[in-house]
Structure formats: structure tokens, C-alpha cells
Amino acid sequence: MKFVMTQAVCPEGMQLLDGIADVYVADNQDPNNYLDEMRDAAALIVRIAKCDANAIENSPKLKVIGRTGVGYDSVDVKKATELGIPVVITPGANNRSVAEHAVAMIFALSKNLIEAQNEMCKGNWEIRGAKKAFELEGKTVGILGLGAIGRETAKICKGCGMRIAAYDPFMTKEQVEGYGAKYYEDYVELLKDSDVVSIHVPLTDQTRNMISKKELSVMKPTALIINCSRGGIINEADLVEALNNGVIAGAGTDVFCSEPPKTDDPLLNCRNLIVSPHSAAQTREAVIKMAQMCIKGCLAVVEGKKWPYVADKSVYEHEKWKGA
């Protein structure tokens, strides 16, 4: 069998294919650029890359698409499902890493670490009196999306003495309160009450531009907002305006509408923002777990087994899977 990878996974993942599959590593994010290699591929592994309908349709032997992560907005899952091709994902593999990254951004902003370092290195010792730093104990963190990563983030914040508020349209009030969080039916009300907001929802038609000028305007001027989920959930132009005009105190983002962003992107050149290159899930531990889970899932599917961790389980209703 043949595996095609947009980029190589870690050695611990590659080892699972030793002696089992031929592997072509493209080092290219778009399979449309190497359709000749896709013609005999049984599996495609994508990292930060896209897999559109054209690539899928022009891969006649493709049995599975693997995504080393839980988000799959870069893959045309609808087309894959239509053709009976499962899209394997790795839920749970990066929960702790992403949660820790979000909290690290909260700490860095609440202590004004980035500006303090930059100014001190310029010789501005007086930045120590900027009066931007504050304690997290007793503050309210609003979690948008109380899934596995949101819950892990909330757990860490609670350990810091923060109060937890949460919005999740897929959970009941009792479920949210069961996790020790104050329930909000309306996320705009949560934004009003929170000192820090951390986003942990997927990018969908419903969540795109979920946080725009209107929502940012209701937040406290001392508030922080963190996005370690997906670019596009926060309207970037509106965030730049809010930061530059002091509508909110600061923001941290690991994700962008266009990745990688250009160096002259206004988002990279505004006030009180810290950024990272979509690396929240790139800890040593998470990278290994994601790679191994993805490879194991893809191998199972190629062998005709119904791997449970797929983007759309209705794929197994396809005629290809009858009797599997």
C-alpha cells in the first residue's frame, strides 16, 4: 500500500509504517500539486494542509484521509464521505497541550511579559511601572466551548483561583454546572462578565466571525481574549481595531485566517497582541500522540476496519462499508 503525506509526521509515527507501506512525503501543502503521486495512494495524511474535492476525486485508490489533529475544516469531509472515504482525526491527543498554551498566553498577557521584555531590551527600565499587570486569582475566565480542550483549560484556570464561566450550545445547564462552571445561555452575556475569554469552538458557518466588533465592544476594557482554536472565529480586522483603540486590553492568538500570515499583516503589527505560529498542539508529547493515533487509524481503515475516530461517522453507511 502507499501512504502520501503532505509533510512527514514525527519518527515515532513514521516507524509504524516501516515494512508495511511505501511512503511519499510531498513537503507541499496541496495534494493538487502532486496528483500523479495521489493516483495510487491508499492513504493521505495531512497536517496544516488542505485536501479539496478535486484532490479526492483524482485519487481513485484513496481509502482514507488522516488529519493529525481534531480540526478538519481544511479537508472536504463532505466529498470524502460521499465517496465512502473516512477522514481520521485524533481527538484527545492534544487536549493538554492546547489548554496549557492558552493558559500560557493568559499568564503572559496578564503579566505584560512581552512588552516588558521588548521595552527593557531597548533600555526602558521604567516599563516596570506600566501598571498593566494583574493577578488572575479571583478573576472570571469565560470559556467558549466546553469540550475536552475547554474543560482542560478551565481545570488549569480553576487551579489558579479563577472563577469559571462557560458557554456551550451543545450542553445543558446541569452539564455545564457539573464541571464547576457558571452557565451562560447567551455568549454575549459571558463576554460582558469575563475578565479573560478563551475560545475552544470549531470553525463552522455558525462560529465564523463569532467575535466581531459588536461582541468586542461589550467586553471590559481590561479584558483579554485568547484564540487557540481556529482562525476566522474572531474577525481579525475588528480585533486589530479593538486592540489599537483600547476597546480591550489584550489578545493572544495561535491561529489565523490565512496561514502563515504575511509579515505586513495588520494583526501582527497591532498593540497588546501576542502570537504563535499555530503551534499550541506542537508539544513533543502531543505530536507523538497525534501521529501515532492518526497512522493507526489510517492503517485500520485501509484494512477494512471501522475506526471510531472519524470526522463523519455516517461515512460507514456508504455501500463500500457494507459488511465491514
Side-chain angles (χ1 to χ4, degrees):
M1 75 181 83
K2 180 179 178 181
F3 273 57
V4 172
M5 298 182 180
T6 58
Q7 297 93 19
V9 298
C10 64
E12 291 84 353
M14 298 296 283
Q15 288 172 4
L16 297 178
L17 296 174
D18 287 349
I20 297 176
D22 296 323
V23 180
Y24 172 76
V25 178
D27 285 323
N28 187 296
Q29 296 185 1
D30 188 354
N32 287 291
N33 293 328
Y34 38 93
L35 290 177
D36 55 330
E37 295 288 349
M38 292 300 301
R39 288 195 183 97
D40 58 348
L44 171 66
I45 307 292
V46 299
R47 290 176 60 191
I48 300 178
K50 73 172 186 176
C51 181
D52 62 15
N54 187 67
I56 296 170
E57 289 173 337
N58 284 281
S59 304
K61 296 185 178 180
L62 194 63
K63 294 182 179 180
V64 63
I65 299 168
R67 166 77 176 93
T68 55
V70 68
Y72 48 83
D73 47 282
S74 61
V75 177
D76 193 329
V77 175
K78 182 178 180 182
K79 174 56 67 174
T81 300
E82 179 186 310
L83 297 176
I85 301 171
V87 177
V88 168
I89 54 177
T90 60
N94 61 17
N95 291 353
R96 183 70 186 191
S97 293
V98 176
E100 287 186 2
H101 197 96
V103 176
M105 284 187 156
I106 294 170
F107 267 96
L109 285 164
S110 67
K111 302 300 175 278
N112 199 36
L113 293 182
I114 304 300
E115 183 183 34
Q117 173 171 314
N118 291 341
E119 288 300 308
M120 182 181 166
C121 290
K122 294 175 186 176
N124 180 14
W125 182 258
E126 299 309 314
I127 190 64
R128 66 193 295 270
K131 296 183 174 63
K132 291 183 179 180
F134 63 90
E135 293 183 357
L136 294 174
E137 186 177 24
K139 302 297 191 297
T140 295
V141 57
I143 307 292
L144 294 182
L146 204 58
I149 297 174
R151 293 196 298 272
E152 195 70 18
T153 304
K155 182 174 76 174
I156 300 171
C157 289
K158 190 173 183 180
C160 297
M162 301 185 78
R163 294 190 294 264
I164 312 300
Y167 166 82
D168 193 313
F170 301 103
M171 285 189 178
T172 65
K173 184 173 186 289
E174 291 72 24
Q175 287 174 316
V176 169
E177 290 178 345
Y179 289 114
K182 181 179 178 180
Y183 172 81
Y184 279 79
E185 185 175 4
D186 182 350
Y187 75 90
V188 176
E189 293 302 313
L190 177 145
L191 295 176
K192 291 179 182 178
D193 293 345
S194 297
D195 299 294
V196 179
V197 174
S198 192
I199 297 171
H200 301 285
V201 298
L203 179 63
T204 66
D205 290 340
Q206 290 71 40
T207 63
R208 189 179 299 278
N209 293 318
M210 182 180 185
I211 308 294
S212 297
K213 185 173 184 177
K214 176 184 175 183
E215 290 76 24
L216 290 163
S217 69
V218 305
M219 294 177 66
K220 298 177 182 179
T222 55
L224 310 174
I225 190 164
I226 309 295
N227 186 10
C228 289
S229 185
R230 280 292 184 272
I233 295 169
I234 301 179
N235 182 290
E236 290 182 349
D238 291 348
L239 178 61
V240 170
E241 182 181 347
L243 289 170
N244 285 337
N245 292 324
V247 175
I248 61 173
T253 186
D254 183 54
V255 290
F256 306 86
C257 291
S258 177
E259 296 185 350
K262 295 180 179 179
T263 55
D264 61 353
D265 190 316
L267 189 64
L268 300 183
N269 297 281
C270 66
R271 298 172 54 202
N272 302 324
L273 175 74
I274 61 173
V275 297
S276 53
H278 203 148
S279 56
Q282 298 304 305
T283 61
R284 292 187 296 271
E285 296 83 357
V287 165
I288 292 170
K289 285 186 282 188
M290 287 189 293
Q292 292 182 333
M293 188 174 180
C294 183
I295 297 295
K296 288 176 182 178
C298 288
L299 285 171
V301 171
V302 170
E303 292 169 1
K305 300 173 184 177
K306 293 182 179 180
W307 185 256
Y309 307 116
V310 295
D312 185 354
K313 290 186 179 181
S314 71
V315 68
Y316 294 130
E317 298 171 10
H318 193 278
E319 60 181 13
K320 286 184 178 180
W321 289 93
K322 286 182 179 177

